Amino acid sequence: MADDKGKGGAVPASGELDEQALFFHRYPRPGKLEIQAIKPLGNQRDLALAYSPGVAAPCLAIKDNPELAAAYTSRANLVAVVSNGTAVLGLGNIGPLASKPVMEGKAVLFKKFAGVDVFDIEIDAPGIDDMVKVISALEPTFGGINLEDIKAPECFEVERQLRDKMNIPVFHDDQHGTAIIVAAAILNGLALAGKKIGEVKIVASGAGAAALACLNLLVVLGAKRENIWVHDLEGLVYKGREVLMDPWKDVYAQDSANRVLADSIGGADVFLGLSAAGVLKPELLVQMAEKPLIMALANPKPEIMPEEARAIRPDAMICTGRSDYPNQVNNVLCFPYIFRGALDCGARTINEAMKMAAVKAIAGLAREEVNEVAAKAIGGETPIFGPDYLIPSPFDQRLILRIAPAVAKAAAETGVAARPIEDFEAYLDQLNRFVFRSGFIMKPIFAAAKVAQKKRVIFAEGEDERVLRAAQVLLEEEIARPILIGRPSIIETRLQRYGLRIRPGVDFELVNPQDDPRYKDYVDEYFSLVGRKGVIPEAARTVVRTNSTVIGAIAVRRGDADALICGVEGRFAKHLRDVSQIIGKREGVLELSALSLLISQRGATFFTDTYVKMVPTSEEIAEMTIMAASAIRRFGITPRAALVSHSNFGSRDSDSAEKMRSAMCMVKEQAPDLEADGEMHGDSAISELLRKRVMPDSTLTGEANLLVFPNIDAANISLGLVKTMTDSLHVGPILLGSALPAHILSPSVTSRGVVNMAALAVVEASAP
């Protein structure tokens, strides 16, 4: 149906897909969501605070001041997704119980994309009065109401009455979510076509909730009602028509003798289809205006297939509700973020200004470069703003960063925000931490990097997409001056392919390994370091032409760059050999080591040594512990180190256990102020309760945030397991002990990971 727009956006389900979907919904537990406690409930005091008698205090505070519910309960982050199941996702009136899988799906989208908690509520209330009575009674529980899959025209009246009765946002996503995305696509499509919205002719097929909401929003944008021609099952909506009419359609009634779509389509600039498959016949496209915009949004099969439309009108711009074609109109582009902004400012409603703010934010984001996550989700060539990229990808992480603040700002400006956001910079920082889990942990690093004079960071793999994207971020955020090693023609081509604005020689320095005036000097420098290690002059010349890590390391050694980032491609050991030979160890350091940071819901946990030393000695373990603690302090975190072992405070007397005990003694002697203890089991390191049972006088308090391992096997295996099992974000590896700042990343690193490590390198380069 037209009202069921591009929510799923997938091709029709096959029998095999049906079976997979049933399995997905049933196992390992039925459904798609659960409720989790966010406060500790581990002892009697926790229970006393969470329930009786402690809970009386927030209850009485809210009784005296209802606004405090946002401070003491989850209400300000809780939305009800409500449906009576009368117009479900192309399935029609299947009833409230059968609609529950869809509503649970909506709930997980809210949580995944915007961190909004949801209860899905399916109500047995087909009539308007019953729906309004039930839903309005939910106001004390929720910060917002998302109406879903309620048939037209009842949905219009239900929403109107609820908006009048309730003092929280009520948003019928089938109407307004679709309308916001459609409006953004039309704004961008008309801009590309060089047309003004007040002058274009719009022909619509479908007059349900979504279609009418789209048209209403386009009118707010400047479209003229007299230029809008609406068709439904009975043909043109015209003045005097009595069949299948209602007050909402009547607004668009034309005084015309036209009756069918073929009569109206001539000269149309925009076709808006929210009706049924095949409605827009190919021969009708010939009658449309130059550079027509075709919004064929019926699901699962649109009013016309894109390939059919392009065969007739290659100049057409086409949007569908399907994920297998460009320009997918998918409601997840907006509803999580509109509610995010509305909830965060305590909005009492979602008004036209807030919807318009969302439209402009979505349209504007489509004109920016596609980020790495969205590019991977799209697949193939990275799209750039144009006929095949009018609206952003649903996987663009920046949607929340653009839409939520715009909505919150519009709410404040129109006087509907109960808790207006006063510091938008801090709010953006909060949203960034949600998008990039490393945000909070990395904040001190980025702050220090921005204060420092912009250091020159040289990237060995300058042709890699992740490095190119990272370079643009570093420049935009004024963190560093990138130097990229790579072939100019390749880098130019890839910058264009990925839609990036930065240009070599203008925004960043480019080192061409095949043609650099410093080549001879670099060869001489390299040969002076490795000439007595089996490398002959001819080989040295070849290496300096072909090994970008060697080039980058020499640049840092000679002072042509301040820090090196490498390892995005290739084996860690190979890069480590080059860095060790050229940059070497800091004076007094026994051995290089690698520190890895995992960021999970538990917080930050550091692991060492995860990549460098196979079987370190007790002296090297003590050294890497102290160096790791120093690196951790740069993050604004107080290190608490646990030297972990198969032995728990002397329970075993193996060589490995003795090594960790000896290392612990050295740590206490060399760094008496460092909170550390060992050797201990891994669970003792994490749980103070377990640790105190076996060692009541342990010098370690709380949960260890630095885990030091006896060998690389234990460290690397633990890192990989914990990362996967907890869905943690890896920052690093951070190379410790090098004479000059240099970091060797892993091939799995993202562009954001490259940015994180570059910022850390800048801070190191700025240290006295």
Side-chain angles (χ1 to χ4, degrees):
M1 294 292 293
D3 299 346
D4 297 317
K5 78 285 173 240
K7 288 187 283 187
V11 294
S14 64
E16 181 182 358
L17 184 61
D18 287 346
E19 289 299 319
Q20 292 174 357
L22 291 173
F23 186 90
F24 175 86
H25 281 78
R26 187 169 185 175
Y27 299 102
R29 292 168 56 191
K32 294 193 283 280
L33 68 160
E34 66 178 1
I35 296 172
Q36 287 188 334
I38 58 172
K39 296 294 169 65
L41 294 170
N43 52 49
Q44 188 63 40
R45 179 167 177 77
D46 290 343
L47 291 175
L49 292 171
Y51 198 52
S52 180
V55 75
C59 289
L60 294 174
I62 294 168
K63 177 179 177 292
D64 294 337
N65 180 5
E67 288 296 322
L68 289 176
Y72 295 132
T73 76
S74 62
R75 182 175 184 263
N77 193 51
L78 190 61
V79 166
V81 172
V82 184
S83 179
N84 65 356
T86 54
V88 177
L89 196 64
L91 303 176
N93 187 356
I94 60 174
L97 184 59
S99 76
K100 189 171 180 65
V102 178
M103 303 313 129
E104 284 191 353
K106 196 74 175 241
V108 297
L109 293 177
F110 265 108
K111 187 67 174 179
K112 170 69 175 177
F113 288 101
V116 174
D117 293 317
V118 165
F119 288 143
D120 63 288
I121 299 178
E122 295 75 32
I123 58 175
D124 187 5
I128 291 174
D129 291 343
D130 286 344
M131 277 190 278
V132 171
K133 182 178 180 181
V134 171
I135 298 168
S136 62
L138 300 172
E139 184 167 350
T141 300
F142 296 99
I145 304 290
N146 184 98
L147 301 176
E148 189 76 12
D149 292 346
I150 300 170
K151 72 182 180 71
E154 288 90 337
C155 61
F156 301 122
E157 186 61 21
V158 168
E159 185 188 47
R160 186 192 68 77
Q161 290 190 30
L162 289 174
R163 287 167 64 106
D164 289 343
K165 290 172 68 75
M166 302 181 79
N167 207 33
I168 57 175
V170 177
F171 187 80
H172 185 205
D173 183 47
D174 297 314
Q175 294 181 59
H176 309 300
T178 304
I180 287 166
I181 303 158
V182 165
I186 288 177
L187 278 183
N188 280 342
L190 295 181
L192 287 171
K195 300 177 181 179
K196 297 180 180 179
I197 193 167
E199 300 172 357
V200 297
K201 179 179 179 180
I202 301 170
V203 175
S205 174
L212 293 176
C214 290
L215 296 174
N216 292 341
L217 194 54
L218 291 175
V219 169
V220 174
L221 279 167
K224 301 288 191 275
R225 292 184 189 273
E226 58 268 25
N227 293 337
I228 298 174
W229 300 71
V230 180
H231 292 258
D232 61 9
L233 292 172
E234 285 294 312
L236 180 70
V237 174
Y238 61 89
K239 289 184 179 180
R241 198 182 100 172
E242 298 181 357
V243 181
L244 290 179
M245 288 297 289
D246 56 55
W248 298 279
K249 284 185 195 177
D250 196 54
V251 171
Y252 295 100
Q254 288 278 4
D255 187 5
S256 172
N258 291 351
R259 292 296 181 266
V260 297
L261 189 62
D263 297 334
S264 305
I265 200 71
D269 300 280
V270 178
F271 171 81
L272 176 61
L274 285 144
S275 52
V279 166
L280 184 60
K281 305 301 181 186
E283 58 269 20
L284 298 183
L285 296 183
V286 179
Q287 303 178 42
M288 294 187 72
E290 181 184 3
K291 296 181 181 177
L293 179 57
I294 300 170
M295 312 290 295
L297 306 180
N299 257 335
K301 190 173 181 181
E303 285 78 3
I304 188 169
M305 295 299 289
E307 56 267 23
E308 291 182 281
R310 288 208 184 280
I312 302 295
R313 292 299 300 264
D315 62 333
M317 292 172 278
I318 307 164
C319 298
T320 71
R322 294 169 57 125
S323 60
D324 51 346
Y325 289 98
N327 294 324
Q328 183 197 12
V329 174
N330 188 325
N331 284 20
V332 79
L333 276 166
C334 71
F335 71 78
Y337 317 117
I338 288 174
F339 270 99
R340 179 75 280 157
L343 292 170
D344 290 340
C345 69
R348 293 184 289 271
T349 187
I350 294 176
N351 57 28
E352 291 301 313
M354 295 160 74
K355 289 188 283 186
M356 290 302 300
V359 170
K360 292 175 181 177
I362 294 169
L365 182 56
R367 302 184 186 206
E368 298 183 34
E369 299 84 358
V370 178
N371 72 356
E372 179 187 14
V373 173
K376 285 183 178 178
I378 294 168
E381 291 289 314
T382 301
I384 59 174
F385 178 61
D388 286 333
Y389 192 71
L390 299 174
I391 43 181
S393 162
F395 295 97
D396 196 317
Q397 300 159 303
R398 297 167 297 177
L399 284 161
I400 191 172
L401 305 178
R402 303 293 187 273
I403 299 173
V407 167
K409 190 170 291 185
E413 291 172 350
T414 53
V416 300
R419 302 184 302 277
I421 292 170
E422 297 180 358
D423 187 343
F424 271 91
E425 185 175 340
Y427 182 51
L428 272 171
D429 183 61
Q430 174 187 328
L431 295 176
N432 261 296
R433 293 201 299 270
F434 172 77
V435 175
F436 304 108
R437 286 175 293 170
S438 61
F440 180 73
I441 304 299
M442 291 297 299
K443 185 175 181 179
I445 300 297
F446 279 98
K450 289 181 180 181
V451 169
Q453 293 183 350
K454 286 184 281 187
K455 298 294 182 180
R456 301 160 298 167
V457 179
I458 190 164
F459 294 88
E461 295 89 4
E463 297 174 359
D464 190 278
E465 176 185 355
R466 293 162 292 178
V467 171
L468 293 170
R469 292 185 183 280
Q472 178 152 309
V473 172
L474 293 169
L475 285 163
E476 288 175 346
E477 299 188 10
E478 298 184 339
I479 294 170
R481 293 160 53 195
I483 303 172
L484 306 187
I485 301 173
R487 295 160 292 179
S489 61
I490 300 296
I491 287 179
E492 285 278 12
T493 299
R494 291 183 179 177
L495 288 172
Q496 293 179 13
R497 180 190 303 167
Y498 306 137
L500 301 176
R501 295 189 307 272
I502 56 174
R503 293 292 174 262
V506 178
D507 302 302
F508 64 89
E509 183 182 340
L510 178 61
V511 176
N512 180 3
Q514 304 301 317
D515 183 22
D516 190 280
R518 297 165 294 189
Y519 171 69
K520 185 180 181 304
D521 295 336
Y522 276 38
V523 170
D524 292 343
E525 184 85 24
Y526 180 59
F527 186 71
S528 71
L529 297 168
V530 300
R532 293 183 179 273
K533 296 179 181 179
V535 178
I536 63 175
E538 184 178 349
R541 287 191 291 270
T542 301
V543 167
V544 176
R545 284 282 192 215
T546 59
N547 188 323
S548 58
T549 297
V550 167
I551 297 171
I554 294 172
V556 173
R557 181 182 174 88
R558 284 169 48 87
D560 295 336
D562 300 303
L564 167 66
I565 299 293
C566 62
V568 175
E569 299 170 1
R571 293 182 294 113
F572 185 94
K574 179 176 176 293
H575 294 285
L576 179 63
R577 178 200 65 199
D578 295 331
V579 170
S580 299
Q581 287 180 340
I582 299 167
I583 291 179
K585 295 175 289 190
R586 193 166 59 242
E587 185 177 353
V589 169
L590 297 173
E591 183 60 271
L592 299 176
S593 60
L595 175 69
S596 290
L597 162 62
L598 288 187
I599 302 171
S600 67
Q601 292 183 343
R602 298 176 61 91
T605 306
F606 295 84
F607 296 68
T608 197
D609 170 19
T610 48
Y611 282 88
V612 178
K613 188 69 175 178
M614 291 297 174
V615 185
T617 64
S618 55
E619 290 82 5
E620 289 167 343
I621 288 172
E623 178 184 72
M624 72 174 65
T625 302
I626 295 168
M627 289 195 298
S630 178
I632 291 170
R633 291 189 184 97
R634 287 201 180 100
F635 291 85
I637 297 172
T638 300
R640 296 188 300 276
L643 277 63
V644 295
S645 169
H646 69 285
S647 173
N648 203 28
F649 297 105
S651 64
R652 302 285 291 272
D653 286 322
S654 64
D655 290 343
S656 174
E658 177 56 39
K659 178 175 71 172
M660 298 305 280
R661 282 181 218 133
S662 177
M664 187 65 243
C665 292
M666 295 178 194
V667 169
K668 288 181 177 179
E669 181 180 338
Q670 296 172 31
D673 294 334
L674 173 60
E675 188 176 331
D677 207 348
E679 84 292 3
M680 69 179 74
H681 285 169
D683 53 0
S684 295
I686 300 301
S687 170
E688 185 175 32
L689 180 64
L690 293 176
R691 185 166 63 251
K692 291 295 186 182
R693 285 177 182 172
V694 295
M695 186 53 58
D697 62 348
S698 173
T699 53
L700 181 64
T701 61
E703 181 177 322
N705 55 21
L706 170 58
L707 303 179
V708 183
F709 294 85
N711 57 55
I712 199 171
D713 280 350
N716 195 274
I717 292 169
S718 298
L719 175 71
L721 287 173
V722 174
K723 175 185 175 184
T724 303
M725 294 173 69
T726 61
D727 190 28
S728 298
L729 178 70
H730 181 210
V731 177
I734 302 165
L735 192 63
L736 303 177
S738 59
L740 296 165
H743 294 292
I744 306 164
L745 311 187
S746 64
S748 62
V749 71
T750 64
S751 61
R752 189 68 191 184
V754 177
V755 171
N756 287 339
M757 293 306 298
L760 183 60
V762 167
V763 173
E764 292 174 350
S766 304

